């Protein structure tokens, strides 16, 4: 049966790195059917809406979505799309790739970020002329769903980030739920206060492996880890739901180089590999990752990695390695 | 007029590093009157309360407080004490000191952290068996008070950390208030999303100087910066209120070395220097900082810095340099 893949390239270099990722998926001959749709600043300017209903509906019904990057309107696009696929976990690997100048080359982390609640619920009020509030929401059900995923992903154990010394009830609930599931499943966990963890990741990243986080903690700590491995340039991510997912490079639209054909397509291609994993094509996913690593090791390089190759050169080299 | 200094050593190495800091203050001959009080895990165990009323009252009425460190009950001690002095800003310098193995030796940052609200208000509810909430509070008044301080502290400009793309109303209010004050005062600011900032601080710390943050963002980003300069070991901090303040090393109780007489007293002594600044003895504060730096450069070293000196040796060397 042929799967339908929604393709939402977005703005800026999203438009340049997504086509090579589609080519890679296509080259695997799995009979994927690709359907393109628009989102982002350009559509916002043209139509007044950064996320057309057709795009939302497509992502909500496709088997998986390959997403590029969106500019100013990013939050108005990616947050609804996470919801469209009922995404309960954002998977963010951060490892130092060969040939990249990393602050901590020994970093090899995966963040499993809660992707549906916390401070991201959009519940804010202007109470008085002086006071605004935001309601942070933590549920046992969402925390347990995340924990089940984490136990499957990391049966050898994981770290749980939190700030339960201050957010006692909400992060307390998060800890109880995650640890409860892990206990039942016989998976070991250790707690880490998110502030102390930010320091320890800088000092000793090799002591951590899989880190399960509340939503905002995951947002910040995964970006920190990107800093340890040399930047967002090569990092993929997966917004995973029970039946669908949205797969996106962690980098943004890179307005400074957009349109020049020199954007590095590796993060988008690695995101396509996460999509393959999600659809059950694990062997294909590994082939894609191996091809990207081989090219990073001694293939053509885009300027972000000190080379002078273009997006197409790198894309062609990856296809070649496949 | 002689100022009253409350001395709350707390638990663990707090009890070892605070006395040398008091000795340094005493050596300056400003006629300070020191009054000791208890707080922390030991008092909690003995009395059921980690923060005796006498301690709270003393801190609330003393001209300034020198604080050590507290163990498990830290949040129950330091958060009320911040409130006792109406502290609206937590000043956290993070710079690499000579002789310390730093991941990013070029780091020289000061975080000005909002110290009274955000997620720290303690407003949490268990709504149902599944759902808990926390109310994050942002006020224009607290944000403006922080901004006024920031403009005095950094007239050459500062960075404002936020997550207003998600927390639109609350961090939107924070940004408006801080930028409003800065505009009026003719001080330049630039915005930085807290997640992106976590990455950029790792990649290019030298591009930042003073960073104004909401409460939790400041908690996490300042610990991250501690990671860049080699750890919490040497970092002082100041909880500043309109008339009083609480000054504390950023490090914890270090249970692994507590009681052995080898704790590094420099962070506590540097916190005493911030206390001197606060009381208007800026020249004395500079003398103390110079003395500490001289000792760090080629005086005796405690084991955390690779030496085998004791707390007393380092303390004596600093007094000597004064
Ligand atoms: C664009 C923004 C809403 C988003 C987030 O905060 O989740 C981004 O930072 C990310 O990490 O994907
Ligand atoms: C102990 C804890 C409540 C405190 C905080 O979160 O402010 C600590 O992490 C700090 O940074 O001083």
């Amino acid at each position: 049966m042929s799967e339908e893949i929604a393709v939402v390239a977005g703005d800026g270099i999203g438009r340049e790195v997504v086509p090579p990722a589609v080519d890679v998926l296509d080259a695997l001959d799995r009979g994927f059917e690709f359907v393109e749709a628009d989102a982002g600043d350009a559509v916002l300017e043209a139509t007044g809406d950064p996320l057309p209903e057709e795009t939302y509906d497509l992502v909500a019904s496709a088997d998986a979505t390959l997403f590029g990057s969106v500019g100013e309107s990013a939050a108005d696009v990616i947050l609804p799309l996470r919801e469209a696929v009922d995404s309960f976990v954002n998977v963010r690997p951060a490892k130092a790739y060969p040939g990249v100048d990393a602050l901590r080359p020994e970093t090899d982390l995966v963040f499993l970020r809660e992707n549906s609640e916390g401070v991201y619920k959009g519940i804010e009020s202007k109470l008085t002329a002086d006071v605004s509030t935001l309601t942070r929401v933590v549920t046992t059900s969402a925390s347990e769903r995340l924990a089940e995923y984490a136990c499957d992903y990391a049966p050898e154990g994981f770290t749980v980030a939190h700030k339960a010394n201050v957010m006692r009830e909400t992060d307390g609930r998060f800890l109880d739920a995650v640890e409860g599931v892990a206990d039942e499943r016989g998976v070991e966990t250790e707690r880490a206060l998110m502030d102390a963890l930010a320091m320890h990741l800088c000092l000793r990243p090799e002591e951590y492996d899989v880190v399960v986080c509340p939503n905002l903690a995951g947002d910040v700590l995964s970006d920190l880890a990107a800093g340890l491995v040399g930047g967002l340039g090569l990092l993929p991510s997966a917004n995973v739901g029970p039946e669908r997912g949205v797969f996106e490079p962690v980098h943004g639209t890179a307005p400074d180089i957009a349109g020049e054909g020199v954007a590095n397509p590796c993060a988008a291609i690695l995101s396509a590999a996460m999509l393959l994993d999600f659809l059950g094509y694990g062997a294909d996913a590994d082939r894609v990752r191996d091809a990207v690593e081989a090219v990073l090791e001694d293939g053509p390089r885009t300027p972000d990695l000190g080379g002078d190759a273009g997006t197409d050169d790198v894309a062609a080299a990856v296809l070649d390695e496949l």
Side-chain angles (χ1 to χ4, degrees), chain A:
Chain A
M1 230 210 63
S2 100
E3 279 111 343
E4 185 181 63
I5 314 282
V7 178
V8 183
D11 301 313
I13 64 167
R15 310 199 73 78
E16 297 164 54
V17 298
V18 165
V22 171
D23 290 345
V24 166
L25 290 176
D26 211 26
L28 296 166
D29 268 338
R30 291 295 177 181
F32 295 139
E33 190 194 326
F34 299 99
V35 186
E36 292 187 20
D38 282 329
D41 293 356
V43 204
L44 172 62
E45 203 157 305
T47 70
D49 183 358
L51 183 60
E53 211 177 303
E54 309 86 76
T55 302
Y56 182 95
D57 291 344
L58 174 69
V59 170
S61 66
D63 292 292
T65 297
L66 192 62
F67 186 85
S69 56
V70 160
E72 289 297 313
S73 55
D76 290 319
V77 173
I78 194 63
L79 300 183
L81 291 186
R82 287 174 185 163
E83 215 180 286
V85 299
D86 189 17
S87 176
F88 59 91
V89 56
N90 189 323
V91 184
R92 301 202 162 187
K95 77 168 194 170
Y97 282 95
V100 181
D101 188 23
L103 185 59
R104 287 286 194 206
E106 63 276 47
T107 306
D108 189 359
L109 295 161
V110 178
F111 293 89
L112 301 179
R113 168 184 175 190
E114 201 289 317
N115 214 18
S116 71
E117 52 185 33
V119 302
Y120 281 74
K121 277 289 194 195
I123 313 173
E124 294 193 292
S125 317
K126 180 172 162 172
L127 292 191
T128 70
D130 189 44
V131 185
S132 294
T133 61
L134 176 147
T135 303
R136 179 177 194 257
V137 178
V138 176
T139 66
T140 296
S141 44
S143 308
E144 286 183 349
R145 199 146 76 134
L146 173 66
E148 294 285 1
Y149 187 92
C151 290
D152 291 336
Y153 192 97
E156 67 295 340
F158 53 84
T159 303
V160 191
H162 70 97
K163 185 79 191 176
N165 56 342
V166 171
M167 304 195 278
R168 294 177 184 196
E169 173 65 28
T170 49
D171 270 8
R173 182 186 283 275
F174 179 75
L175 281 177
D176 285 348
V178 171
E179 291 172 349
V181 168
D183 267 6
E184 250 172 54
R185 300 269 307 260
V187 173
E188 272 183 49
T189 61
E190 53 151 17
R191 297 180 176 192
L193 280 166
M194 68 182 286
D195 48 338
L197 185 57
M199 180 181 75
H200 286 128
L201 288 175
C202 292
L203 293 174
R204 286 180 292 281
E206 68 281 4
E207 288 182 8
Y208 298 88
D209 185 1
V210 173
V211 185
V212 172
C213 309
N215 207 339
L216 184 62
D219 182 48
V220 175
L221 294 172
S222 65
D223 265 33
L224 183 172
L228 300 179
V229 302
L232 300 172
L234 295 175
L235 302 185
S237 75
N239 297 286
V240 171
E243 292 171 20
R244 297 166 222 292
V246 176
F247 301 84
E248 44 161 343
V250 183
H251 64 64
T253 55
D256 49 323
I257 59 159
E260 293 178 15
V262 296
N264 191 330
C266 291
I269 296 172
L270 291 167
S271 301
M274 296 185 85
L275 181 153
L276 289 165
D277 274 325
F278 178 76
L279 292 179
Y281 301 109
D284 287 337
D286 286 338
R287 275 179 66 202
V288 171
R289 275 186 287 263
D290 289 346
V292 170
E293 294 207 13
V295 170
L296 285 171
E297 205 126 10
D298 49 27
R301 293 165 169 272
T302 42
D304 55 306
L305 299 181
D308 56 7
T311 308
D312 291 348
D313 305 319
V314 175
V318 173
L319 282 173
D320 238 41
E321 284 287 343
L322 271 185

